[in-house]
Amino acid sequence: MRQESFVMQDIPLYHNLVMKHIPGADPELVLLNHYYEELDRIALSDMTRSEINELLEKLGFYKKAQPEDEVPEELRFAPAKDSPFKDDRPLKSSMSTVDTENASSESNPEVKHTDL
């Protein structure tokens, strides 16, 4: 498995990144908003550990040096740009799941995720 090192060593370092293992399914990054509504899915099967880490950095995920390290207050909702509790506007992505469940529907290429 190409992502085994990523799963065992890197996922614990990322804030607001949760792994959900589904046996037999291809790995995907599922981007969710504060209400756990799906925003997008990104296939990870053909990506290397370093490529996945680069993707997460590009998306704005905060990576701690050690799993037990504190997350700076200003990055508590990262990769979201805002707190879900400031006002009633639609919210940005705050949590993602590395999911191995296959999506039956395709992501809408027309949708622009300016919140990422």
Side-chain angles (χ1 to χ4, degrees):
M1 174 181 206
R2 298 177 75 179
Q3 295 85 10
E4 187 172 325
S5 295
F6 173 78
V7 169
M8 301 303 288
Q9 297 172 12
D10 297 341
I11 286 178
L13 300 176
Y14 282 100
H15 180 63
N16 286 333
L17 184 71
V18 177
M19 182 180 155
K20 179 180 176 184
H21 179 73
I22 301 172
D26 291 332
E28 296 180 307
L29 176 67
V30 181
L31 301 172
L32 306 173
N33 66 16
H34 290 290
Y35 299 108
Y36 301 98
E37 297 166 332
E38 186 175 317
L39 298 174
D40 201 3
R41 285 180 181 254
I42 302 169
L44 302 177
S45 297
D46 295 329
M47 297 177 75
T48 64
R49 177 182 181 181
S50 62
E51 290 170 334
I52 296 170
N53 278 294
E54 288 173 23
L55 172 65
L56 292 173
E57 181 180 332
K58 181 180 172 185
L59 291 172
F61 281 89
Y62 176 69
K63 186 176 183 182
K64 302 177 278 184
Q66 298 294 323
E68 64 275 3
D69 288 352
E70 293 293 317
V71 176
E73 182 63 28
E74 66 273 13
L75 297 173
R76 189 167 59 126
F77 298 105
K81 307 298 183 216
D82 297 312
S83 164
F85 309 110
K86 289 183 181 177
D87 56 38
D88 293 328
R89 352 178 235 143
L91 302 172
K92 312 295 187 227
S93 172
S94 70
M95 186 171 184
S96 292
T97 304
V98 174
D99 192 354
T100 56
E101 182 175 21
N102 289 320
S104 59
S105 60
E106 300 272 330
S107 294
N108 183 349
E110 303 284 319
V111 176
K112 301 273 190 247
H113 294 290
T114 58
D115 54 333
L116 302 177

